[in-house]
Amino acid sequence: SALADLLLGVVLGFASRAVLGGDGLEAPPGFAVVGYGKLGGKELGYGSDLDIVFLFDESRREDAEKLARVAQRVNTWLTSHTSGGVLYETDLRLRPDGASGLMVSSFPAFRDYQFTRAWTWEHQALTRARFCAGDASLGERFEALRREILSAPRDGQKLREEILAMREKMRSEVKADARDVKHVDGGLVDLEFAVQALVLAESCRHPALLGNKGNHTLLNLAGEMGIVTVPVAAAAADAYLALRARTHAASLNDEEHALFAEGGLAAEREAVMALRREVFGR
């Protein structure tokens, strides 16, 4: 993840010079790249793609078209096939309004979207978002906004129902192998949804959960703070490491999907299901 941050900064510098001119490789003032998903959570694996969103400061409104070209150039260079391979595949669909939205959002427009139109699943995604490259002052504004949104009081029961509904929708739409480490009952998605539910439901009372520290640390924190019973939190945290180790091995072995062996990691899957039952009540 640190390497990805570094490369994003370098590519952004080259893209800025190509579009805006100049001799250096500095990022454009008032422009930032925000990472989501595994990049945002500092949990990139081998072969992971980059979930990224581009933001610009309202002071750069007159340069919006040029900054959109910078963003497009960054995306093109990251995904171009070269003799040395591809830097990263990217996913830009987490920007406001998804694939139909603007490639680059002004910060005020992003803020308004998050407070007025964003779905619960988009706030789930925000639990694993952070500034990765560009103007650090805009990155600080993004982090303050993120914390403000995540710490807002919520109806815990309604929140959990909405997250469970999204999980069931995903289960019905993704035709995954029954052994898929990510999508199976007791797999990575179940664990991640439980952690996201805890962050959204409890951050108003437990600000320590707002730190972008990864699933393993957040689960242990939830146990220490009494939000989840310690044995359940600890077992789920350990299970997460084991599940991720399986996905790393699959990537290094060029497996198309990370699959459980027959009866594999049964105790870890049960630990995740125990966490799910404690967080969601079922």
Side-chain angles (χ1 to χ4, degrees), residues 38-58:
K38 288 185 173 61
L39 172 64
K42 301 179 185 177
E43 296 175 330
L44 278 189
Y46 305 103
S48 292
D49 62 3
L50 303 185
D51 294 303
I52 52 178
V53 169
F54 300 101
L55 299 177
F56 68 88
D57 185 271
E58 56 270 31

Side-chain angles (χ1 to χ4, degrees), residues 12 23 72 106 156 168 211:
L12 177 57
D23 298 324
Q72 183 63 63
S106 73
E168 292 308 314

